Amino acid sequence: MLLRLYRKAQYLSLDIVLGAVVLLRFFSVYFSVDSSLVVYILMACSIWMIYTLDHLKDAKKAPSSKRDRYSFHHRNRKVLFPVFFAVLTLVVFLLPLIDFRVLISGVIVILLTSLYLFSRSQFSVYGLKEVYAAFLYSAGILTVPFILLEDVNWEVSGMLFFAALSNLLLFSWFEYEDDLEDGFDSIATKYGKNAAEKSILISISTGISFALWSPFSTVSLYFVIVYATYALLFLNPSWSKMNRRYRTFGDAVFMLPVLFEFGDF
């Protein structure tokens, strides 16, 4: 029962939404800035809409896909579209309630995300889909803390970017055969699995270098755990592929900050 509910939550990208909210809280506390409740709601709604729209587009392109999340979206598209527009209405209603600087930055991130959603095939042609998506994910989470802080922490930016990139590269590597069958492009299908493997190693190595060279903190410790998790998934492909554990653990790492004691860093 619980496993079935969790799978449904995965199909609906609720685990990704929760991970993003947890990370926003994590970084807001770390940088001692106050992200309002409305900001958290808007982020959760925006991420859910982006992933849902993306999955609906993929499900339409590959309606007979063997991947559960696509078949789920294809079966439930008549329900998901009204829910999507209801959530969009809530977002429009809440936008005037946030800080003007946050509003402008959020609009910019949304515009960049729209560019990705409607031009994804172009990014895929050049093998940049994962890189651009990782940039959007990290920018979407860190924009609010950095604006409120009125500064940019490049070390944290680098750690989060390469964590998101490692996540996406791993998924493209593990789902190479599925993407070929469904006709989807990724860095693995574009340049081959060997190139994807090298990209994963470079991404994990670069990210963990950021974490180890940064001053010790809860944030750097957290990212060491993230990269260690990705390395273990990568080095144990047979185990990781069972029941798509790579997705369960690959996305769950973004919820790990709930285990940390917020307050003293």
Side-chain angles (χ1 to χ4, degrees):
M1 179 65 176
L2 290 176
L3 180 59
R4 187 185 305 173
L5 288 174
Y6 179 72
R7 291 301 183 197
K8 289 290 178 62
Q10 279 189 310
Y11 301 158
L12 289 166
S13 304
L14 297 181
D15 55 336
I16 296 172
V17 171
L18 179 59
V21 170
V22 168
L23 284 178
L24 175 58
R25 165 66 179 168
F26 187 49
F27 294 125
S28 295
V29 172
Y30 178 72
F31 291 116
S32 301
V33 297
D34 184 20
S35 297
S36 67
L37 177 62
V38 176
V39 170
Y40 286 102
I41 295 173
L42 284 171
M43 167 173 277
C45 291
S46 299
I47 290 177
W48 182 82
M49 287 192 301
I50 290 167
Y51 274 86
T52 298
L53 184 59
D54 196 33
H55 290 335
L56 285 169
K57 287 181 62 180
D58 287 341
K60 183 179 180 180
K61 181 178 179 181
S64 59
S65 174
K66 295 178 181 177
R67 282 180 276 194
D68 294 335
R69 67 182 182 277
Y70 293 149
S71 58
F72 174 86
H73 281 77
H74 183 69
R75 290 195 312 271
N76 297 282
R77 60 191 183 282
K78 292 183 179 179
V79 175
L80 289 170
F81 273 117
V83 174
F84 177 90
F85 286 108
V87 174
L88 178 60
T89 302
L90 175 62
V91 168
V92 173
F93 177 77
L94 292 176
L95 281 176
L97 302 180
I98 61 176
D99 185 290
F100 182 74
R101 297 170 300 167
V102 175
L103 174 61
I104 295 300
S105 64
V107 168
I108 293 173
V109 172
I110 289 173
L111 289 175
L112 291 173
T113 303
S114 300
L115 174 65
Y116 167 77
L117 288 174
F118 294 103
S119 305
R120 192 176 60 173
S121 60
Q122 298 302 315
F123 288 104
S124 300
V125 167
Y126 300 103
L128 296 175
K129 184 181 74 172
E130 289 83 3
V131 174
Y132 191 73
F135 165 75
L136 289 175
Y137 183 83
S138 53
I141 291 173
L142 291 174
T143 293
V144 172
F146 287 169
I147 284 178
L148 297 178
L149 184 65
E150 298 184 346
D151 194 12
V152 175
N153 187 304
W154 295 108
E155 292 174 341
V156 171
S157 299
M159 286 186 279
L160 181 57
F161 170 78
F162 284 105
L165 181 60
S166 299
N167 174 287
L168 294 170
L169 291 173
L170 275 170
F171 289 0
S172 70
W173 183 63
F174 279 118
E175 298 181 1
Y176 171 76
E177 289 80 9
D178 291 332
D179 284 336
L180 282 179
E181 184 175 342
D182 292 339
F184 295 149
D185 292 321
S186 70
I187 192 169
T189 60
K190 177 64 180 177
Y191 297 110
K193 292 196 71 173
N194 287 337
E197 289 176 3
K198 293 177 182 177
S199 299
I200 292 168
L201 289 172
I202 291 172
S203 182
I204 292 176
S205 299
T206 305
I208 203 166
S209 295
F210 269 103
L212 293 176
W213 291 342
S214 300
F216 179 79
S217 66
T218 306
V219 170
S220 61
L221 174 61
Y222 161 67
F223 278 110
V224 168
I225 296 173
V226 169
Y227 290 115
T229 301
Y230 287 153
L232 289 173
L233 291 173
F234 179 64
L235 294 172
N236 296 275
S238 298
W239 183 88
S240 300
K241 283 186 176 181
M242 292 177 60
N243 298 317
R244 298 188 185 275
R245 287 170 175 165
Y246 62 89
R247 276 198 169 269
T248 301
F249 288 94
D251 287 334
V253 294
F254 294 117
M255 293 182 273
L256 280 179
V258 297
L259 302 177
F260 288 83
E261 179 70 26
F262 292 130
D264 296 325
F265 291 90

